[in-house]
Amino acid sequence: MKYTIIDTGYFYADGGAMFGAIPKTAWRRRYPSSKSNICVLATRSLLVETDDGHILLVDNGAGTKQPDALRHYCFFDCVDLEEELLKRGVRPEAITDVILTHLHFDHCGYTTRRVEESLQPTFPNATHWVSRKQWNNCLHPNPLEEDSYFTENIQPVADAGLLRLIDEETEVCPSVLLKLYDGHTPGQIVPYIQTGEEVLVFAGDVIPIAASLSPKWISAYDTHPLTSYYEKVRLLDEAVRERQTIIFCHDAYTPMSQVKKAGKFYTKCNG
Ligand SMILES: [Zn+2]
């Protein structure tokens, strides 16, 4: 089992939006920001090569297909993901599984690529794992999420017969289990990856940055904040009990950490 975290790029987000009802006087001690409240966020991807021959990619950043629509986020230091994989000896054709936590633009942009006039799956031999709830939400988005979806990121994968929709907790292979969480958006996949020594939890936007370990620190982008609270507690209680390592997909400063609980509070183990 081998795994590599790949930062596919960075973007700017408003700190007020990231922390919802929490005042800046509280969150500014937990996440760096500019005077105008701007925070730098990462778009993080995880490459996993299992002992039984699976090569998995979890999320893949915003990609480069919608520069005009996304200019407001000021993406920078974006990598060419195919090149990054090749540097690690992995051809796009060799990826067996693409796991998409959800279909918001900042998690699945590299899933398809432009080839002349058409859009093609970037990973033509991969099973693409998405929850049915999330797929339906993407096809029929509510007004709050409609700007977060670009169907061109995923429809060509469905057209090619590469989409695998799941309705419940599902095993990809003995070392990779997909669990489902609601809150930020319906039916987020959180992969649990057994590496041998530890279990990695790619928490996606259930817990996007280390500062959002506090269950009440909920992003204003979450469509069902009360559900987010309970889902975070569910994920974190297990992570503390089982000493799992959480990967924070948007934290530009802390890619991963184990968590501990003191009273009602959860914090990272290394800080
Ligand atoms: Zn996100």
Side-chain angles (χ1 to χ4, degrees):
M1 160 71 76
K2 213 167 92 181
Y3 72 86
T4 318
I5 285 176
I6 301 172
D7 284 7
T8 65
Y10 300 88
F11 66 102
Y12 294 122
D14 182 85
M18 283 304 296
F19 294 104
I22 307 302
K24 187 175 184 184
T25 46
W27 65 254
R28 74 176 174 198
R29 285 178 275 126
R30 306 269 294 277
Y31 203 85
S33 63
S34 71
K35 275 195 184 132
S36 51
N37 284 2
I38 298 300
C39 298
V40 173
L41 297 184
T43 52
R44 192 154 281 138
S45 178
L46 178 69
L47 175 68
V48 180
E49 298 171 67
T50 71
D51 292 338
D52 59 358
H54 285 259
I55 307 179
L56 303 101
L57 191 66
V58 183
D59 281 355
N60 52 49
T64 53
K65 294 194 303 292
Q66 301 98 7
D68 288 343
L70 301 183
R71 67 183 179 283
H72 157 74
Y73 294 94
C74 304
F75 276 89
F76 65 97
D77 287 352
C78 293
V79 301
D80 179 324
L81 186 57
E82 291 176 69
E83 262 176 33
E84 289 301 310
L85 293 171
L86 286 172
K87 275 189 215 163
R88 292 162 175 85
V90 176
R91 290 176 303 112
E93 297 79 15
I95 299 282
T96 60
D97 301 271
V98 172
I99 297 165
L100 299 171
T101 59
H102 59 300
L103 299 173
H104 289 170
F105 65 84
D106 51 324
H107 296 261
C108 65
Y110 276 111
T111 308
T112 60
R113 64 194 179 104
R114 221 174 276 290
V115 180
E116 292 167 2
E117 294 304 297
S118 72
L119 286 161
Q120 301 290 336
T122 310
F123 309 102
N125 299 314
T127 301
H128 291 63
W129 301 81
V130 175
S131 83
R132 189 180 310 276
K133 254 191 194 178
Q134 180 60 201
W135 173 243
N136 288 336
N137 197 59
C138 170
L139 293 183
H140 310 287
N142 60 61
L144 291 182
E145 289 185 83
E146 61 188 1
D147 294 339
S148 299
Y149 291 118
F150 296 99
T151 48
E152 65 186 31
N153 286 338
I154 191 69
Q155 190 64 52
V157 166
D159 295 344
L162 297 172
L163 195 58
R164 173 88 178 263
L165 299 178
I166 63 169
D167 296 295
E168 57 191 358
E169 194 170 297
T170 303
E171 202 180 88
V172 175
C173 59
S175 53
V176 180
L177 178 65
L178 309 181
K179 299 192 186 190
L180 298 178
Y181 289 85
D182 292 324
H184 174 65
T185 184
Q188 295 160 92
I189 289 180
V190 174
Y192 284 69
I193 298 145
Q194 178 74 54
T195 68
E197 300 113 44
E198 59 183 345
V199 172
L200 296 178
V201 181
F202 193 96
D205 279 344
V206 180
I207 304 177
I209 59 179
S212 42
L213 283 170
S214 300
K216 291 182 186 174
W217 290 36
I218 292 166
S219 154
Y221 297 119
D222 284 23
T223 54
H224 293 81
L226 189 57
T227 303
S228 293
Y229 174 88
Y230 290 117
E231 292 289 70
K232 285 168 77 171
V233 169
R234 176 164 74 95
L235 187 151
L236 287 168
D237 279 345
E238 182 187 339
V240 171
R241 193 174 62 241
E242 306 292 332
R243 297 175 188 223
Q244 296 164 340
T245 298
I246 297 182
I247 295 177
F248 305 108
C249 72
H250 285 315
D251 197 313
Y253 311 96
T254 307
M256 63 208 289
S257 175
Q258 288 193 337
V259 288
K260 59 188 178 192
K261 189 176 185 186
K264 282 198 288 188
F265 300 101
Y266 302 85
T267 52
K268 50 186 177 168
C269 281
N270 48 356

